[in-house]
Amino acid sequence: MKFSRPTHRINALFAAVCLVAAGCAVGAPTATSGGEPRPRRSAGPAAVKSSSADPTGTKPASPAASPGVVPAGTSPDPNKGYFGRVLGLDGNPAAGVRIEARIVANHGGSLITDNGAGLIANHGGSLVANNSSSYGLAAADELLTALSGADGTFTLAIPAGKQANVEAIQATDVKAIRGAVTSAGGGFDLKLAPTGAIKGKVTTPPDRQITNYQGVDIYIPGTSYLAKADIAGNFQIDNVPVGEYKLFAEKVGLGSGVSSAVAVKSREAAQVAELMLAIEPVTITAVDPPFALPGTQVTVTGTRFGKSSGAIFKLRLGGLTIENATVLSDTTATFTVPKGSPGGDLVIEVNGQQSASRAYPALNGFDVTGPDSDIGVGTAFQSTVTPLDFDYEPVKDVVLPITWKVASGDAVTVDQTGKISAVKQGVAMVEAVFGGYRAEIEVTVSATGASAGSLGGATARAASRLSGVGIGGDGRLYVTSGGRVFTLSADGKLDTLAGGVAGEEVKDATGKFARFERISALACEPAGRLLVGDSGRIREVMPLDGAVKTLAGSLELGFFVEEEDPVAEEGEQLDGQGTAALLDRVESIAPAQDGGAFFLDRDKLRRLAASGAVTTIAGAPTLTALGAGPAGEIYAAGTKTVYRLDAAGVATAITPQTAPASWPGLSSGSARGLARDAAGNLYVAYATGVVRLAAADGAVTRLAGSAAEGQVDGPATDARFMAIRGLAFDAARDALIVVETGAVRQISLGDAANPVTTIVHGEIGSIPYTAEPIAGDPGEDGDEQDVPDDEAF
């Protein structure tokens, strides 16, 4: 069978897997340079005839010398490690044969066999799984050539530490090859033989529906042998030396693949199995720094960024394409975080193929804590730092390299961990700086500083501004804080179910995309829906996904005030359908059995029907808390009286009740919460404690707390509370759950002592200071307005 003259040559290859001769060393893969050229066609090597060749092209004559490794002593220069001998078709040394040695950058060369008798595909299979882009050939100027001498020998000065694929070319169709020649290889024989061919077909998985394979490159890495596939994917590589190979195929957009091993024999066309092309994924492995700070440069590392192939590279942050993104190599890219960017998912796209998204929050400053009262001389306060994103949510697992210093005064010192030590009486200003943000902490040192009480339980920043509590139909504990609804685990972990920064806007959405003005009340339906009082509206929150929908009240942002404000501005109250109704300030909610709810709107008792209609039942200036029983019964509490409401909202005092004068002293002020346990006992929470109305006779006793403020766990009679905001009965715990401004606490009902324990609390003895942008900092956005911390939570 006759084969045509070769017309293809590769100057730079990106990888693949061929064969390894017995004894050829295999080293570790080395990444190729992104600047190496692609394989290209070139003229075949010049034919050099040997006097030992069989001019008829028939079966070679018997060898005059035994083929094999040349003994070291026969080398023309015994000091040179690279030398060899060419044996002709007749087995005798062949003179004047052209030798081409290609220096390989990595394993591209060690995967080719010679044409010796004992061919072994050593390690070929184990390299197929490696990233194909890590294989390749050095540039064309590292091609070494020589001619064999009269005795068939040749020498090559290959640099130490390199590998070379060495080929003997007597004619277009008479060649020999040896792969991965190393400095320790000694001498070797190259036995010429008529060449063969390799043919096959490239393809892709059926689900990709690729029909045009025109131009796919198929080649033997580390050699000059290349073919182009036709539209159907068929290809043939001609004039390949005898040996065993694996082929590599690639085309931008279609991907790459490696064939199974194929043995080439003289004057035959070897058929290789289908060569499947697959697209290796674009990946992001690391981002430095681990957070986005507007105006700073970020380095992204990963794989297959497409620099070497000239692919179209895009980088998106939070869904927006970053125009200044620059791809430096196949594994590295940089970009500058745009001013005002809120961060989000980081995605890299190469020729339309996207990486998996990587959460990349943008920092919008940070909080530090300072003492909430004087500290005494000789004592210390350890400040903590909380990085914040654009929703003022804490950024987890990020440690900021804060620079600490005393900006003014000499009453304190501060170290670089944020530990503030009081050294003398006076006032000092401590400063914390990171990037373009600075926070200032004012510290007053007195002779004997105040000491804060201590609580057990976990600590959570969001617990510093709690406003409501409820037990869902799923048994989960829910709490609210400013503009967020949280789920709360028994170990004190707070996870946002819905909402973000309070007071920015009113927005119905799902999860963290929803926005509340300021949550003022919370109730849970037995079926699972959460009802939230949001200043002048009632909204539902679905517990599965945090979807928020406004049921009643205007969607326009209003002005909210603290309920303790004696001059709180009063708004309009107007009955109507859904968002056409006007609500002033929803202070308490109790779900009704028919899917509606009763609620207290400042000084009125109002009803929300399941249809969304809002009607006013009566003026109720003395009622301040509502609650629901397990059978759907509705209760209301005033200063020292508890009522039961019928389906129409008519209130009837529960009797008998102890005379008002006999109510515990902690009941001065308005009721803050109302709950009923499984036995029918009712509980009313006031600012500093909880009273109990016995189901049997309506007798009123103090359950926990006292008239004195404080935050102390322990037996109920010794426990202290501060600014209770809500109350709920948890049947699973057989306990009352109390929410106060800075903590979620539990009163056990199954223990005679009714001990009080803390589930989670906010920072005790400290107050947060929010960092402000430093004027003129490149990351500062002049259109941004900081949200005060007490509005954020």
Side-chain angles (χ1 to χ4, degrees):
M1 183 179 292
K2 188 174 181 180
F3 300 95
S4 62
R5 181 181 180 85
T7 58
H8 309 306
R9 180 172 300 276
I10 300 176
N11 288 331
L13 301 171
F14 292 98
V17 203
C18 307
L19 313 161
V20 183
C24 287
V26 178
T30 305
T32 61
S33 167
E36 292 178 4
R38 297 268 305 153
R40 68 171 185 264
R41 296 173 183 265
S42 64
V48 181
K49 291 188 177 181
S50 167
S51 59
S52 63
D54 177 7
T56 66
T58 58
K59 183 176 179 180
S62 299
S66 298
V69 175
V70 181
T74 65
S75 171
D77 183 353
N79 295 320
K80 288 192 174 183
Y82 298 93
F83 58 89
R85 179 177 62 178
V86 180
L87 301 178
L89 295 175
D90 58 2
N92 294 316
V97 177
R98 179 178 174 84
I99 307 300
E100 292 186 356
R102 286 177 170 78
I103 309 299
V104 294
N106 50 40
H107 282 272
S110 66
L111 302 174
I112 306 170
T113 67
D114 60 13
N115 59 357
L119 299 181
I120 301 176
N122 185 27
H123 293 293
S126 66
L127 293 170
V128 176
N130 285 284
N131 185 342
S132 62
S133 63
S134 66
Y135 302 102
L137 183 70
D141 59 1
E142 293 189 63
L143 173 67
L144 305 177
T145 62
L147 289 175
S148 62
D151 59 354
T153 63
F154 61 88
T155 60
L156 294 169
I158 300 175
K162 297 290 187 178
Q163 293 183 347
N165 294 334
V166 181
E167 191 171 4
I169 306 170
Q170 186 178 59
T172 300
D173 57 354
V174 179
K175 304 174 184 178
I177 194 167
R178 172 90 174 201
V181 175
T182 68
S183 59
F188 55 90
D189 283 346
L190 285 170
K191 187 178 184 302
L192 295 170
T195 61
I198 304 174
K199 65 179 181 180
K201 183 177 182 178
V202 295
T203 186
T204 52
D207 59 356
R208 294 184 61 189
Q209 298 182 339
I210 305 297
T211 58
N212 187 351
Y213 297 93
Q214 188 80 44
V216 174
D217 289 323
I218 304 97
Y219 53 91
I220 302 172
T223 74
S224 62
Y225 300 105
L226 166 72
K228 295 275 189 182
D230 63 18
I231 192 170
N234 299 306
F235 66 89
Q236 180 164 313
I237 305 176
D238 293 321
N239 295 309
V240 179
V242 171
E244 193 174 50
Y245 308 91
K246 289 186 178 181
L247 307 182
F248 183 67
E250 68 173 345
K251 184 178 181 181
V252 173
L254 292 186
S256 61
V258 179
S259 77
S260 56
V262 58
V264 175
K265 299 178 181 180
S266 293
R267 300 188 180 95
E268 294 183 12
Q271 179 74 44
V272 68
E274 274 193 336
L275 211 167
M276 185 76 70
L277 301 182
I279 296 178
E280 294 185 45
V282 180
T283 65
I284 299 174
T285 57
V287 186
D288 183 34
F291 49 81
L293 189 65
T296 61
Q297 189 177 72
V298 178
T299 299
V300 183
T301 56
T303 61
R304 298 186 66 83
F305 288 179
K307 175 69 173 179
S308 60
S309 61
I312 298 174
F313 176 92
K314 293 181 181 180
L315 185 148
R316 290 192 296 274
L317 179 61
L320 299 177
T321 299
I322 304 299
E323 300 298 337
N324 60 38
T326 302
V327 56
L328 304 180
S329 70
D330 285 343
T331 60
T332 308
T334 63
F335 71 95
T336 300
V337 180
K339 182 170 60 177
S341 170
D345 287 338
L346 182 66
V347 176
I348 284 178
E349 180 181 301
V350 179
N351 275 352
Q353 182 192 4
Q354 294 186 5
S355 68
S357 63
R358 185 186 184 98
Y360 194 56
L363 268 104
N364 191 28
F366 58 92
D367 275 358
V368 295
T369 56
D372 65 353
S373 58
D374 297 359
I375 60 175
V377 174
T379 63
F381 177 87
Q382 181 63 58
S383 183
T384 59
V385 178
T386 304
L388 303 175
D389 65 15
F390 270 68
D391 275 341
Y392 289 83
E393 288 275 14
V395 179
K396 299 178 180 179
D397 303 322
V398 169
V399 178
L400 296 182
I402 298 289
T403 299
W404 294 88
K405 69 176 184 179
V406 178
S408 64
D410 58 358
V412 302
T413 61
V414 63
D415 65 17
Q416 292 309 303
T417 70
K419 183 179 179 181
I420 302 171
S421 300
V423 296
K424 59 184 294 187
Q425 288 183 254
V427 178
M429 190 69 72
V430 175
E431 189 175 82
V433 177
F434 170 71
Y437 295 86
R438 174 178 57 222
E440 295 180 329
I441 302 172
E442 184 176 352
V443 183
T444 301
V445 180
S446 61
T448 57
S451 60
S454 63
L455 291 175
T459 303
R461 181 175 181 271
S464 298
R465 297 290 186 274
L466 297 175
S467 58
V469 62
I471 309 297
D474 55 5
R476 286 197 294 178
L477 180 60
Y478 297 89
V479 295
T480 55
S481 173
R484 294 174 174 83
V485 179
F486 297 96
T487 59
L488 175 60
S489 63
D491 59 359
K493 182 180 180 182
L494 283 168
D495 288 315
T496 300
L497 174 66
V501 178
E504 284 189 336
E505 60 179 327
V506 176
K507 181 180 178 182
D508 287 349
T510 298
K512 293 184 179 181
F513 296 100
R515 288 294 179 269
F516 296 87
E517 181 174 357
R518 186 181 183 90
I519 297 175
S520 52
L522 171 67
C524 298
E525 291 182 333
R529 184 176 63 161
L530 279 62
L531 298 178
V532 172
D534 180 25
S535 295
R537 59 197 63 81
I538 293 178
R539 308 174 76 181
E540 71 171 15
V541 180
M542 304 308 293
L544 290 179
D545 58 3
V548 176
K549 178 182 177 182
T550 301
L551 303 178
S554 172
L555 291 174
E556 293 183 6
L557 192 67
F559 174 72
F560 58 78
V561 293
E562 293 286 355
E563 67 176 43
E564 291 85 358
D565 187 348
V567 291
E569 182 177 335
E570 296 179 359
E572 288 188 76
Q573 294 169 307
L574 182 67
D575 290 350
Q577 182 68 35
T579 56
L582 293 181
L583 285 60
D584 183 10
R585 187 171 68 248
V586 178
E587 295 178 341
S588 189
I589 304 175
Q593 284 185 302
D594 61 1
F598 291 93
F599 65 97
L600 294 174
D601 183 15
R602 190 165 40 86
D603 58 354
K604 291 183 173 60
L605 174 64
R606 308 181 75 182
R607 194 177 193 282
L608 171 66
S611 64
V614 174
T615 56
T616 300
I617 295 173
T622 63
L623 297 182
T624 54
L626 297 176
E633 60 273 27
I634 306 297
Y635 300 97
T639 303
K640 295 182 179 181
T641 308
V642 179
Y643 303 88
R644 180 164 181 169
L645 304 182
D646 63 18
V650 176
T652 303
I654 294 177
T655 57
Q657 288 187 31
T658 308
S662 301
W663 281 58
L666 59 83
S667 63
S668 59
S670 302
R672 302 296 187 92
L674 197 154
R676 182 185 185 276
D677 67 16
N681 301 302
L682 291 173
Y683 302 88
V684 183
Y686 295 89
T688 60
V690 179
V691 299
R692 176 178 182 268
L693 276 72
D697 57 7
V700 179
T701 55
R702 175 167 61 98
L703 176 69
S706 74
E709 290 186 340
Q711 287 183 313
V712 179
D713 286 349
T717 53
D718 299 326
R720 296 292 181 268
F721 297 88
M722 182 178 291
I724 292 176
R725 304 297 296 271
L727 185 68
F729 171 68
D730 187 343
R733 290 182 172 91
D734 191 20
L736 295 175
I737 307 300
V738 177
V739 161
E740 50 191 288
T741 300
V744 181
R745 302 170 73 186
Q746 172 180 303
I747 305 174
S748 176
L749 300 179
D751 188 314
N754 300 129
V756 176
T757 55
T758 297
I759 299 172
V760 60
H761 60 78
E763 296 157 335
I764 299 172
S766 63
I767 55 175
Y769 292 81
T770 300
E772 301 288 342
I774 299 173
D777 180 74
E780 182 181 355
D781 189 339
D783 296 331
E784 289 282 336
Q785 290 187 351
D786 289 336
V787 179
D789 181 72
D790 62 347
E791 294 180 1
F793 291 93

